[in-house]
Amino acid sequence: MTTDNFDFLNKSAEHAAKRLLGCILERQLGDEIVRVKIIETEAYDGTDAASHSYKRRTPRTDIMFGPAGHLYVYFTYGMHYCCNIVVGHEDVGAAVLIRAVEPIDGEATMMTFRRKTGVLLTNGPAKLCQALSIDKQLNGHSLRHSPLKLIITPPIDPSQMQKSSRIGISRAKEKKWRFYMKDNPYVSSGQKQ
DNA sequence: AGCGGGATTTTCT
DNA sequence: GAAAATCCCGCTT
């Protein structure tokens, strides 16, 4: 493979977070195929005080220090899973948090895992993990293969992109590393900006 | 419409 | 011991 279309993941986390907007996640669940479009992302890297990988490699964050294009799933607040796409070169410890997606195919299947309708199905990082049945079993999974694939689409028009501070963190709030689709109803409701 | 508490793992102080 | 890349529900205004 001379030109792998995952190559852009090896650039900065900030670049990858922008480029992942509009890309497709394809989830195989038994006989069903669920497809969603990425609507909102946040970048985290090893130089970033808000990142799990900041100056420390632990059993939990080990996947973040591995190859780009794999999935990093973490469990938080004793209740919820959140999923990230590992980016950057190996041993750097960077990832892009997927904060919101828009259903394309298989909405009925997602509703069997998450008993909600409309935007409440996938408008938050833990919500979309529940809808796509993503948990610790998929930690470290390569997004090149079933049962969860990342499909790269052309970059979105810059005029459709908004950015802001990241949600739910107390450190490094000055970094504008949250990116989302302008006027999309599935953008997470954590903060108005 | 807005606030506040509960669930309960991983990590750090 | 407490906070964290969250979400939901019930209470109050």
Tab-separated table of all heavy atoms in Angstrom, chain C:
chain	number	residue	atom	x	y	z
C	1	DG	P	-10.375	8.210	53.764
C	1	DG	OP1	-10.105	8.734	55.049
C	1	DG	OP2	-11.380	7.366	53.278
C	1	DG	O5'	-9.953	9.256	52.615
C	1	DG	C5'	-9.812	10.599	53.023
C	1	DG	C4'	-9.725	11.493	51.812
C	1	DG	O4'	-8.841	10.933	50.836
C	1	DG	C3'	-11.066	11.732	51.099
C	1	DG	O3'	-11.087	13.095	50.689
C	1	DG	C2'	-10.990	10.804	49.899
C	1	DG	C1'	-9.515	10.864	49.568
C	1	DG	N9	-9.016	9.689	48.856
C	1	DG	C8	-9.232	8.360	49.131
C	1	DG	N7	-8.632	7.549	48.306
C	1	DG	C5	-7.970	8.391	47.427
C	1	DG	C6	-7.139	8.094	46.303
C	1	DG	O6	-6.833	6.986	45.866
C	1	DG	N1	-6.662	9.244	45.696
C	1	DG	C2	-6.934	10.512	46.106
C	1	DG	N2	-6.385	11.486	45.391
C	1	DG	N3	-7.703	10.807	47.148
C	1	DG	C4	-8.186	9.704	47.753
C	2	DA	P	-12.466	13.779	50.392
C	2	DA	OP1	-12.621	14.940	51.278
C	2	DA	OP2	-13.546	12.780	50.247
C	2	DA	O5'	-12.110	14.332	48.929
C	2	DA	C5'	-10.812	14.818	48.639
C	2	DA	C4'	-10.667	14.958	47.141
C	2	DA	O4'	-10.166	13.721	46.569
C	2	DA	C3'	-11.988	15.244	46.423
C	2	DA	O3'	-11.731	16.147	45.391
C	2	DA	C2'	-12.396	13.873	45.873
C	2	DA	C1'	-11.031	13.303	45.523
C	2	DA	N9	-10.972	11.853	45.437
C	2	DA	C8	-11.649	10.919	46.190
C	2	DA	N7	-11.374	9.677	45.877
C	2	DA	C5	-10.445	9.792	44.853
C	2	DA	C6	-9.767	8.842	44.084
C	2	DA	N6	-9.903	7.523	44.250
C	2	DA	N1	-8.913	9.289	43.147
C	2	DA	C2	-8.769	10.605	42.978
C	2	DA	N3	-9.354	11.597	43.634
C	2	DA	C4	-10.196	11.118	44.575
C	3	DA	P	-12.851	17.075	44.787
C	3	DA	OP1	-12.807	18.410	45.412
C	3	DA	OP2	-14.121	16.316	44.749
C	3	DA	O5'	-12.288	17.213	43.301
C	3	DA	C5'	-10.890	17.185	43.059
C	3	DA	C4'	-10.635	16.526	41.724
C	3	DA	O4'	-10.664	15.092	41.852
C	3	DA	C3'	-11.672	16.880	40.652
C	3	DA	O3'	-10.993	17.205	39.463
C	3	DA	C2'	-12.495	15.605	40.505
C	3	DA	C1'	-11.448	14.542	40.816
C	3	DA	N9	-11.989	13.270	41.278
C	3	DA	C8	-13.018	13.062	42.165
C	3	DA	N7	-13.270	11.803	42.404
C	3	DA	C5	-12.349	11.129	41.621
C	3	DA	C6	-12.090	9.759	41.415
C	3	DA	N6	-12.771	8.790	42.023
C	3	DA	N1	-11.096	9.429	40.562
C	3	DA	C2	-10.416	10.408	39.949
C	3	DA	N3	-10.558	11.722	40.064
C	3	DA	C4	-11.554	12.020	40.921
C	4	DA	P	-11.728	17.835	38.234
C	4	DA	OP1	-10.849	18.888	37.697
C	4	DA	OP2	-13.125	18.141	38.564
C	4	DA	O5'	-11.725	16.616	37.182
C	4	DA	C5'	-10.499	16.062	36.755
C	4	DA	C4'	-10.753	14.785	35.975
C	4	DA	O4'	-11.322	13.783	36.853
C	4	DA	C3'	-11.750	14.935	34.803
C	4	DA	O3'	-11.257	14.214	33.712
C	4	DA	C2'	-13.015	14.286	35.346
C	4	DA	C1'	-12.413	13.186	36.200
C	4	DA	N9	-13.305	12.670	37.232
C	4	DA	C8	-14.161	13.368	38.023
C	4	DA	N7	-14.823	12.630	38.879
C	4	DA	C5	-14.363	11.356	38.631
C	4	DA	C6	-14.672	10.107	39.198
C	4	DA	N6	-15.550	9.945	40.174
C	4	DA	N1	-14.029	9.016	38.715
C	4	DA	C2	-13.144	9.190	37.724
C	4	DA	N3	-12.777	10.311	37.116
C	4	DA	C4	-13.424	11.360	37.621
C	5	DA	P	-10.622	15.008	32.518
C	5	DA	OP1	-9.487	14.204	32.114
C	5	DA	OP2	-10.433	16.447	32.897
C	5	DA	O5'	-11.691	14.911	31.355
C	5	DA	C5'	-12.683	15.904	31.166
C	5	DA	C4'	-13.435	15.625	29.879
C	5	DA	O4'	-12.482	15.416	28.824
C	5	DA	C3'	-14.300	14.369	29.915
C	5	DA	O3'	-15.391	14.521	29.019
C	5	DA	C2'	-13.348	13.300	29.398
C	5	DA	C1'	-12.598	14.095	28.317
C	5	DA	N9	-11.247	13.596	28.084
C	5	DA	C8	-10.132	13.845	28.835
C	5	DA	N7	-9.055	13.271	28.383
C	5	DA	C5	-9.484	12.603	27.254
C	5	DA	C6	-8.824	11.781	26.323
C	5	DA	N6	-7.518	11.523	26.375
C	5	DA	N1	-9.543	11.258	25.318
C	5	DA	C2	-10.844	11.531	25.262
C	5	DA	N3	-11.590	12.284	26.082
C	5	DA	C4	-10.842	12.789	27.054
C	6	DT	P	-16.837	15.023	29.679
C	6	DT	OP1	-17.709	15.447	28.624
C	6	DT	OP2	-16.510	15.901	30.824
C	6	DT	O5'	-17.417	13.671	30.246
C	6	DT	C5'	-17.732	12.579	29.387
C	6	DT	C4'	-19.080	12.018	29.730
C	6	DT	O4'	-19.224	11.964	31.162
C	6	DT	C3'	-20.268	12.843	29.215
C	6	DT	O3'	-20.992	12.040	28.326
C	6	DT	C2'	-21.067	13.208	30.462
C	6	DT	C1'	-20.586	12.195	31.478
C	6	DT	N1	-20.631	12.639	32.887
C	6	DT	C2	-21.292	11.858	33.796
C	6	DT	O2	-21.856	10.826	33.508
C	6	DT	N3	-21.285	12.325	35.076
C	6	DT	C4	-20.675	13.471	35.522
C	6	DT	O4	-20.730	13.786	36.697
C	6	DT	C5	-19.997	14.254	34.518
C	6	DT	C7	-19.297	15.520	34.918
C	6	DT	C6	-20.002	13.816	33.268
C	7	DC	P	-22.285	12.636	27.486
C	7	DC	OP1	-22.325	11.895	26.226
C	7	DC	OP2	-22.218	14.091	27.512
C	7	DC	O5'	-23.550	12.173	28.335
C	7	DC	C5'	-23.764	10.769	28.537
C	7	DC	C4'	-24.766	10.560	29.641
C	7	DC	O4'	-24.270	11.123	30.860
C	7	DC	C3'	-26.129	11.208	29.393
C	7	DC	O3'	-27.079	10.176	29.271
C	7	DC	C2'	-26.351	12.099	30.611
C	7	DC	C1'	-25.376	11.515	31.631
C	7	DC	N1	-24.883	12.453	32.656
C	7	DC	C2	-25.035	12.145	34.008
C	7	DC	O2	-25.587	11.092	34.325
C	7	DC	N3	-24.572	13.013	34.943
C	7	DC	C4	-23.974	14.140	34.559
C	7	DC	N4	-23.529	14.958	35.523
C	7	DC	C5	-23.812	14.479	33.189
C	7	DC	C6	-24.279	13.618	32.269
C	8	DC	P	-28.618	10.476	28.859
C	8	DC	OP1	-29.066	9.378	27.999
C	8	DC	OP2	-28.731	11.872	28.417
C	8	DC	O5'	-29.376	10.340	30.247
C	8	DC	C5'	-29.115	9.193	31.070
C	8	DC	C4'	-29.787	9.388	32.403
C	8	DC	O4'	-29.002	10.304	33.201
C	8	DC	C3'	-31.184	10.008	32.299
C	8	DC	O3'	-32.087	9.248	33.070
C	8	DC	C2'	-31.013	11.406	32.825
C	8	DC	C1'	-29.858	11.246	33.799
C	8	DC	N1	-29.089	12.490	34.025
C	8	DC	C2	-28.683	12.795	35.317
C	8	DC	O2	-28.963	12.016	36.231
C	8	DC	N3	-27.993	13.934	35.542
C	8	DC	C4	-27.708	14.749	34.519
C	8	DC	N4	-27.025	15.859	34.787
C	8	DC	C5	-28.115	14.457	33.190
C	8	DC	C6	-28.805	13.324	32.978
C	9	DC	P	-33.672	9.364	32.825
C	9	DC	OP1	-34.123	8.041	32.369
C	9	DC	OP2	-33.967	10.572	32.031
C	9	DC	O5'	-34.220	9.624	34.285
C	9	DC	C5'	-33.565	9.063	35.429
C	9	DC	C4'	-33.727	10.001	36.603
C	9	DC	O4'	-32.785	11.088	36.498
C	9	DC	C3'	-35.124	10.643	36.680
C	9	DC	O3'	-35.645	10.462	37.981
C	9	DC	C2'	-34.863	12.100	36.376
C	9	DC	C1'	-33.441	12.276	36.887
C	9	DC	N1	-32.716	13.423	36.285
C	9	DC	C2	-31.928	14.232	37.102
C	9	DC	O2	-31.863	13.962	38.308
C	9	DC	N3	-31.268	15.279	36.561
C	9	DC	C4	-31.374	15.524	35.255
C	9	DC	N4	-30.704	16.567	34.768
C	9	DC	C5	-32.165	14.725	34.392
C	9	DC	C6	-32.817	13.679	34.946
C	10	DG	P	-37.268	10.580	38.186
C	10	DG	OP1	-37.745	9.243	38.553
C	10	DG	OP2	-37.877	11.317	37.066
C	10	DG	O5'	-37.321	11.514	39.478
C	10	DG	C5'	-36.313	11.417	40.481
C	10	DG	C4'	-36.151	12.749	41.173
C	10	DG	O4'	-35.343	13.629	40.363
C	10	DG	C3'	-37.478	13.490	41.413
C	10	DG	O3'	-37.449	14.053	42.715
C	10	DG	C2'	-37.461	14.566	40.348
C	10	DG	C1'	-35.986	14.882	40.265
C	10	DG	N9	-35.563	15.517	39.020
C	10	DG	C8	-35.955	15.198	37.741
C	10	DG	N7	-35.398	15.950	36.827
C	10	DG	C5	-34.591	16.821	37.552
C	10	DG	C6	-33.749	17.870	37.104
C	10	DG	O6	-33.533	18.244	35.953
C	10	DG	N1	-33.110	18.514	38.162
C	10	DG	C2	-33.276	18.168	39.484
C	10	DG	N2	-32.588	18.901	40.357
C	10	DG	N3	-34.061	17.199	39.913
C	10	DG	C4	-34.684	16.567	38.901
C	11	DC	P	-38.808	14.469	43.440
C	11	DC	OP1	-38.918	13.645	44.646
C	11	DC	OP2	-39.910	14.495	42.450
C	11	DC	O5'	-38.498	15.969	43.873
C	11	DC	C5'	-37.328	16.249	44.646
C	11	DC	C4'	-36.853	17.655	44.353
C	11	DC	O4'	-36.439	17.724	42.980
C	11	DC	C3'	-37.955	18.708	44.500
C	11	DC	O3'	-37.734	19.484	45.668
C	11	DC	C2'	-37.834	19.576	43.256
C	11	DC	C1'	-36.621	19.050	42.552
C	11	DC	N1	-36.825	19.057	41.072
C	11	DC	C2	-36.086	19.949	40.290
C	11	DC	O2	-35.269	20.689	40.857
C	11	DC	N3	-36.284	19.969	38.956
C	11	DC	C4	-37.179	19.159	38.401
C	11	DC	N4	-37.334	19.217	37.076
C	11	DC	C5	-37.947	18.246	39.167
C	11	DC	C6	-37.754	18.232	40.492
C	12	DT	P	-38.807	20.657	46.009
C	12	DT	OP1	-38.702	20.848	47.457
C	12	DT	OP2	-40.111	20.371	45.369
C	12	DT	O5'	-38.171	21.925	45.283
C	12	DT	C5'	-36.817	22.295	45.535
C	12	DT	C4'	-36.448	23.479	44.641
C	12	DT	O4'	-36.532	23.072	43.259
C	12	DT	C3'	-37.380	24.681	44.791
C	12	DT	O3'	-36.587	25.856	44.931
C	12	DT	C2'	-38.170	24.716	43.493
C	12	DT	C1'	-37.186	24.083	42.519
C	12	DT	N1	-37.827	23.443	41.335
C	12	DT	C2	-37.451	23.854	40.082
C	12	DT	O2	-36.637	24.729	39.887
C	12	DT	N3	-38.072	23.186	39.056
C	12	DT	C4	-39.015	22.177	39.150
C	12	DT	O4	-39.486	21.664	38.148
C	12	DT	C5	-39.374	21.814	40.508
C	12	DT	C7	-40.383	20.744	40.739
C	12	DT	C6	-38.765	22.455	41.530
C	13	DT	P	-37.229	27.210	45.460
C	13	DT	OP1	-36.336	27.770	46.495
C	13	DT	OP2	-38.656	27.010	45.763
C	13	DT	O5'	-37.209	28.004	44.100
C	13	DT	C5'	-36.468	29.024	43.655
C	13	DT	C4'	-36.802	29.266	42.201
C	13	DT	O4'	-37.275	28.084	41.523
C	13	DT	C3'	-37.906	30.301	42.025
C	13	DT	O3'	-37.321	31.495	41.515
C	13	DT	C2'	-38.861	29.711	41.017
C	13	DT	C1'	-38.069	28.535	40.432
C	13	DT	N1	-38.974	27.442	39.961
C	13	DT	C2	-38.994	27.149	38.612
C	13	DT	O2	-38.323	27.723	37.800
C	13	DT	N3	-39.854	26.152	38.259
C	13	DT	C4	-40.683	25.422	39.100
C	13	DT	O4	-41.411	24.544	38.669
C	13	DT	C5	-40.611	25.776	40.486
C	13	DT	C7	-41.457	25.073	41.494
C	13	DT	C6	-39.766	26.768	40.859
